[in-house]
Amino acid sequence: MVQHIQKAAVIGSGVMGSGIAAHLANVGIPSILLDVVPENAENRNVLSESAIQKLFKQKPAPLVSKQNAALITAGNLEDDLKQLAEADWIIEVVLENLDVKKTVFEAVDSYRKPGSIISSNTSGISVEAMKEGRSDDFKKHFLGTHFFNPPRYLKLLELIPTSHTLPEVVDYMKMFGEDVLGKGVVLAKDTPNFIANRIGTYGLLNTMHIMNEMKLSPGEVDSITGPLIGRPKSATFRTLDVVGLDTFIHVAKNVYDQVGGEEKAVFDVPDVLLQMRDNGWIGAKAGQGFFKKDGQTILELDPNSMDYIERKKMKADSIKVAKQQKGSAKWKTLAYANDEAGQFIWKILAPMLLYSAGLTGKIADNIVSIDRAMKWGFGWNEGPFEIWDHLGVREALQKMESEGRVIPGWVKDMPGHFYQDGHYYDPATKSYKPIDQQAKVIDLKQLKKEGKVIKQNSGANLIDIGDGVALLEFTSPNNAIGMDIIHMINDAVEEVEKKYKGLVIGNQGKNFCVGANLAMILMAAGDEDIWEIDMVVKGFQQAMMKIKYSTKPVVAAPFAMVLGGGTEVCLPAAHIQASMETYMGLVETGVGLIPGGGGNKELYIRHLEQMPTGVTVDLQAVANNVFETIAMAKVSTSALEARDNNYLYRADGISINSDHLLYDAKQTAICLYEKGYTAPIRKKVPVTGETGYAMLLLGAQSMHASGFISDHDLTIAKKLAWVIAGGNVPFGSEVDEQYLLDLEREAFLQLVTMPKTQQRMQHMLVKGKPLRN
């Protein structure tokens, strides 16, 4: 019987070990963090204690809330080994040295309790070799658990069982990884660097070889190997700088030492990398690598002269065309173009596709695992076999064969695409098998293919997600809120009230919603069409009130960036089910405005409702808090912080696994309905009025006098203070919600006509960052 993991022990307090302990704390699991005792150390826990302290300073932050650090206890490997008996999971994260790891496991085997799970976070050392000499119970409960750094943010968790690992241990750790740790779990075979690092390292080294062959620069390569081809902004060489050249060289050498033939030649680290390492130019942590910042200018390394020069970008017709395309059309434009960009993309792509195909069955059981590993571990939008399908399998094969490339026989024999109608091709059985989907994953693309769309317009879809629940999906560019989405919100609530148990507002885009359609507002403001802006703002406010007072439960499912209008959509919902990684805030002051869709009112009400029953509420303190949150455009760094900022109620839910978010939201909607949900009763809202406005204004004027805010910031602050205070009424007056909405809309319209606000809006649209004017 596998023991439920309630307490853990992490051995090794380096960046990775402390990061894993932090992520365990993020999901509520306490752990003891153990490391060696340095020679002559007065504080025997100095390494683990300093590692915990560093968690508060690291960026990106390993902890979703600083309070979670209390769940990590510092210890050492001499005095605290007996505490291993209390751990349900012991994870080793020490040096990548087999002898060191075996020594650690010998000690672990002496102190652990029977049935506890033991794992190694090795990035490439044989897991099978680590278990030699251990007890039978140890071997049955031992496996590799390879996290990717940083553990909080990177989704992939590779599980590597040994020949002795019990199947129920593997099944439990897969479930635990997905449901508790929030990971995308892939089963890997015990081969060098497992799945993602094997293919990713091959791809990076091959890219370097092609760059040298075509006499390109790191900047030119990065300009086309990032978002253009569905990869992170860090692309190729910026990724190497972030990872660290010392780490990368170690990972590459691990494969080099264990393979032969042409593969070995690819993993032979280029001399330029070794020279950079010897110079100490190992990347971001050293202040320079392939790129170096000189003031505000970013320079790139010239690998030939080893001097830093002005960064270059590649320009080609295929790049211009591809930027306007998606899916297969985009991939074919890039890979089959005859210009410099097309030739480069093909030369890095073809070997990677063939390499992945050649490793199928060796590093993983199927192509799905390989594709998922590359997406979850390296942040690719599509895995190798999904890309190959976009290129056209036969078309790509013909080009590869014409170039004399060696093609795995199973690919030649495959009758169609790698993926067809929810199935993947399995070379072992020469047949198509259904893709294994988690029960807690709702695939909106698949539901739309199945004809589950109830209603749709240019900006949104209403989809039947089963069990009597509908989902409102935003589909406009960047999910920006315009009249199309506002209309669909109204239609969705009306449809759900008639025919469904509840409504979920969510999507599976890059971000939940980054606010209103700023370009449309700016265009109307420039044309002095205030009537149109007034109509849009009034319509948005009314739609938010419709969400709030729906007779059926509305559950918002925010994730990633939830800004401005995106937050305003969530606040009036009956329940919010947020992803752990939710960055939520009312940020309108950054573009010279204040929230216009009811956000000021709803955040103020949420603060009031969080107050304990029977306690006299300090209205001024509430108003001050709300004013500061909105005026400073505070954005949460996690769902837990969103809860601290009162964007979420204590009763609102948090989903650790973002893939489970819509499922969790759906279950909440069903639960609310079955408990007899009724719309909230409309209540009047107590406000601070004139007295409160004066107090808020005093604080803003003090900041202005000290030079912390500009003249226009003060103008915005005055409008915001007026709205939050409730205008020209006595302190403690109770006003209705429509009165507050009217104040809010009036202030919004006054600000939007101001030239300095329009300058801020223009700057945000062009530069993507706020303007201080």
Side-chain angles (χ1 to χ4, degrees), residues 379-395:
W380 295 9
N381 288 351
E382 295 148 317
F385 300 100
E386 291 169 321
I387 294 170
W388 204 331
D389 273 348
H390 278 310
L391 292 173
V393 177
R394 297 299 150 200
E395 196 173 350

Side-chain angles (χ1 to χ4, degrees), residues 89-90 105 108 112 116-120 137-138 141-143:
W89 178 25
I90 302 164
F105 287 132
V108 168
R112 63 176 284 270
S116 62
I117 294 170
I118 322 98
S119 70
S120 171
D137 190 75
F138 182 107
H141 295 87
F142 176 68
L143 73 165

Side-chain angles (χ1 to χ4, degrees), residues 618-677:
D618 185 343
L619 287 181
Q620 190 61 56
V622 171
N624 292 348
N625 202 328
V626 174
F627 176 80
E628 182 182 341
T629 299
I630 299 174
M632 303 300 290
K634 290 183 179 179
V635 177
S636 69
T637 59
S638 68
L640 283 178
E641 193 172 294
R643 186 179 277 168
D644 292 339
N645 293 339
N646 283 324
Y647 289 125
L648 303 185
Y649 285 123
R650 296 291 156 186
D652 286 329
I654 297 176
S655 296
I656 307 298
N657 191 326
S658 58
D659 288 344
H660 297 174
L661 178 61
L662 296 184
Y663 172 88
D664 294 341
K666 173 183 168 182
Q667 298 309 118
T668 300
I670 293 170
C671 183
L672 289 170
Y673 173 82
E674 291 178 347
K675 286 182 177 179
Y677 179 83

Side-chain angles (χ1 to χ4, degrees), residues 64-80:
V64 296
S65 170
K66 291 181 179 179
Q67 297 173 6
N68 288 351
L71 289 170
I72 309 172
T73 303
N76 67 73
L77 286 167
E78 292 181 19
D79 306 321
D80 302 302

Side-chain angles (χ1 to χ4, degrees), residues 266-282:
V266 174
F267 282 94
D268 189 4
V269 176
D271 290 339
V272 65
L273 284 183
L274 300 176
Q275 188 177 342
M276 290 172 71
R277 181 197 61 189
D278 294 342
N279 289 349
W281 303 350
I282 56 174

